[in-house]
Amino acid sequence: MGLRLPWKRVPEPVEYADFPEDATLVTVVAGEKTYHDLSVIRTPDRVLNFRIAGGLKEGQTVELIWTADGRGGVGSAQVVRATEATVGLRPTRVETGIQRRSSLRVPATVPLTLNGPEGANFPLTTRNISLGGALAFGRGPDAGESFPGRLDLPGQFVTVSAKVLPGLDPVNMHRLLFVGLTTQAEDLIADYVAAQERRRAYARF
């Protein structure tokens, strides 16, 4: 049985963003709830429709995360339709072109410092790392914003910008998404991840 969508014309918001046509699986983050890899159904009024059973309300703002053509994207959207089985979202902010050349994630314990507003610093320590982001522990900033920072790899540091994703303990553990990395930063992180994976492979023999 196919997905039946409610159909009513939704007024255009003051601002909206065009969502990439090749983004077919989207992760929706709504507060402390994360709905991973949802198939998107598009309607002519620029609304993205997902199978989400309840829990979201019209007017609510959510975060979007996706990968298309090997590159990542993040953004935000407003809930414009909500039923017991489906939710319609209209994107209001879209950031694309985040490099995702490798999804390989390796265990790694390295310092990562994020620079918050008004001179606040958040020293964290990674548990694992990939080219797309990291899992880190320590007292960090609130989720939802991107912060500049520094990743201290062995023998060198890398300037990064990381978006703190909701869904984990905000005091002790954080899911970080790297955004807007320079080519040099990507190369350094990719080389480090590859080297760690080679060490793990050698250790298994």
Side-chain angles (χ1 to χ4, degrees):
M1 182 175 178
L3 176 63
R4 300 182 64 182
L5 299 173
W7 186 255
K8 63 177 181 180
R9 192 70 182 178
V10 178
E12 293 287 342
V14 175
E15 60 178 283
Y16 61 87
D18 290 329
F19 198 73
E21 290 292 335
D22 54 356
T24 57
L25 292 178
V26 181
T27 293
V28 177
V29 181
E32 296 183 355
K33 293 184 178 181
T34 302
Y35 305 90
H36 294 279
D37 296 331
L38 302 177
S39 296
V40 57
I41 298 176
R42 303 165 190 265
T43 49
D45 54 0
R46 295 192 178 93
V47 173
L48 312 177
N49 297 276
F50 301 94
R51 295 177 187 265
I52 297 177
L56 301 184
K57 299 180 180 179
E58 292 187 8
Q60 183 176 351
T61 298
V62 300
E63 299 295 317
L64 307 176
I65 305 169
W66 67 93
T67 298
D69 193 26
R71 294 173 179 261
V74 295
S76 57
Q78 185 178 35
V79 178
V80 294
R81 287 196 286 258
T83 71
E84 293 182 357
T86 64
V87 171
L89 307 176
R90 175 167 284 142
T92 55
R93 179 179 61 85
V94 169
E95 298 178 27
T96 59
I98 301 170
Q99 289 284 1
R100 297 281 177 80
R101 293 182 303 176
S102 171
S103 60
L104 182 65
R105 183 176 297 273
V106 296
T109 304
V110 296
L112 172 61
T113 302
L114 297 181
N115 303 319
E118 299 180 356
N121 288 326
F122 300 96
L124 305 172
T125 303
T126 66
R127 285 281 179 86
N128 59 48
I129 189 171
S130 73
L131 191 57
L135 182 68
F137 66 92
R139 184 173 294 276
D142 294 334
E145 296 186 39
S146 297
F147 298 92
R150 165 175 166 159
L151 179 66
D152 287 287
L153 299 180
Q156 59 192 340
F157 70 88
V158 181
T159 299
V160 298
S161 180
K163 182 179 179 65
V164 184
L165 302 178
L168 296 179
D169 180 354
V171 175
N172 298 311
M173 193 66 66
H174 311 275
R175 291 186 301 130
L176 305 177
L177 176 70
F178 295 146
V179 295
L181 293 178
T182 65
T183 300
Q184 181 182 24
E186 289 176 355
D187 290 342
L188 291 173
I189 294 174
D191 289 347
Y192 174 76
V193 169
Q196 293 299 106
E197 181 61 15
R198 285 195 298 270
R199 291 191 182 96
R200 294 175 64 201
Y202 294 152
R204 290 195 288 265
F205 289 99

